[in-house]
Amino acid sequence: MTGSPSCGAFLLSGTLPHSARHLSTSSALRNESLSSKKTHQEATEGHRQEMPGSSSSESSPLTKPSAISTVPDMVRGDWVLFHPVYSPEELKAVQVLHRDRKTISDKLAFGLVKFARTMFDFVSRYKHVEKPPAPGMTIDELRKGGYLLSEKQWLDRILFLESIAGVPGMVAATLRHLTSLRLMRRDSGWIHTCLEEAENERMHLMTFMTLRQPSLFFRLIILGAQGVFYNFFFLSYLLSPRASHRFVAYLEEEAVLTYTRCIADLEAGNIPEWTNLPAPEISIDYWRLHPDAKLLDVLYAVRSDETTHRFVNHSLANLNPATDVNPFALREPDMHVKGTKIEFERSESEQYVRQSHEIMQQNARQALAQKPQGPGL
């Protein structure tokens, strides 16, 4: 990856095939029926028939207040950006990894993340222990001692974290969008990846919101935390995009650890309220889960998403944000790579871009070869 204009132009060319964004890796499978014109027309027509003010507006699902009823049944999946759909093998391939701090900015970013985590654990009175402090303690005793989180505490923790985690991607996308407009040049593929991350984190929040409606006090805490964090990250990204991506990557390391512990607690029977709890409908739509999926399957999918953000942000932090092409603009490695490797070094990102170009050129040649030939002259 050299950041040359030709490389960026190739990645962002509008002449690329529609399927370029999700080449044939198992982490990028999509439901092709969702892109058909017939489905889109039916969805559009159905939406128009249920618009407020029509004769059927009182019974319209658009008037219901729940998190998932605002999406008409006939357009499931069309209302989100690109996101991976994982195979069962990929879901189990995730490892808890940590990147060593190599620079002063790395140490500062990691220190801020660890400080935030320590304070959050202190406020929530959570103490993670590998083994109970005393043998034979019941789940209630462990919860009272702060060694296990209850179902309510897990949801509070997840809702708070996801409401904050959706901020960095949107801030980065906004600033890069404005830079592209101001300098009147292409962005080399960074904006869409940042937007996809923000949307993905927001969908995590929407999923868990179906399990618990936060109190007014909790919402006020979110309001204050979001206001502080948005402005903090906005200024940070203006000063150093690379350090900001590193900060997000370390934050995602903690998210992977959190969901790994949550999964372990659930599988060990320490969250009995969630045992065999069906997956929310919105999560089945979003991750293309089996209709009989459980909440445990949702947690595995969310953890894989956080692993993707960990890998992508560490890799982006190794690039020059002003000149380098985003190596994930066209495709991403599957979870067997992202789940076991903490990042791409800059040279690896450059090689990955070259491979993407070769795949695109090969697909273009195959499409040209399969194109029916016209009658001879």
Side-chain angles (χ1 to χ4, degrees), residues 46-102:
H47 179 68
R48 289 174 179 170
Q49 292 174 358
E50 298 296 336
M51 288 294 289
S54 66
S55 59
S56 59
S57 62
E58 292 183 359
S59 61
S60 170
L62 298 177
T63 63
K64 297 180 181 178
S66 70
I68 59 174
S69 65
T70 54
V71 182
D73 291 341
M74 69 289 292
V75 291
R76 289 176 180 169
D78 277 353
W79 37 274
V80 291
L81 298 174
F82 165 86
H83 62 282
V85 176
Y86 308 103
S87 68
E89 294 76 20
E90 287 181 297
L91 293 174
K92 300 298 178 67
V94 173
Q95 297 178 7
V96 176
L97 302 174
H98 171 64
R99 181 188 184 276
D100 292 334
R101 286 85 71 196
K102 301 177 182 179

Side-chain angles (χ1 to χ4, degrees), residues 169-215:
M170 184 59 67
V171 172
T174 299
L175 288 174
R176 294 194 66 90
H177 174 76
L178 294 176
T179 299
S180 178
L181 296 177
R182 183 171 63 254
L183 300 181
M184 291 178 280
R185 70 183 185 194
R186 292 190 174 190
D187 176 68
S188 297
W190 290 58
I191 293 175
H192 286 170
T193 295
C194 293
L195 286 175
E196 288 163 7
E197 177 183 311
E199 169 79 347
N200 182 250
E201 299 287 10
R202 188 181 66 85
M203 291 306 298
H204 294 174
L205 178 64
M206 295 299 101
T207 295
F208 290 103
M209 281 283 292
T210 63
L211 303 178
R212 174 175 170 77
Q213 290 296 318
S215 64

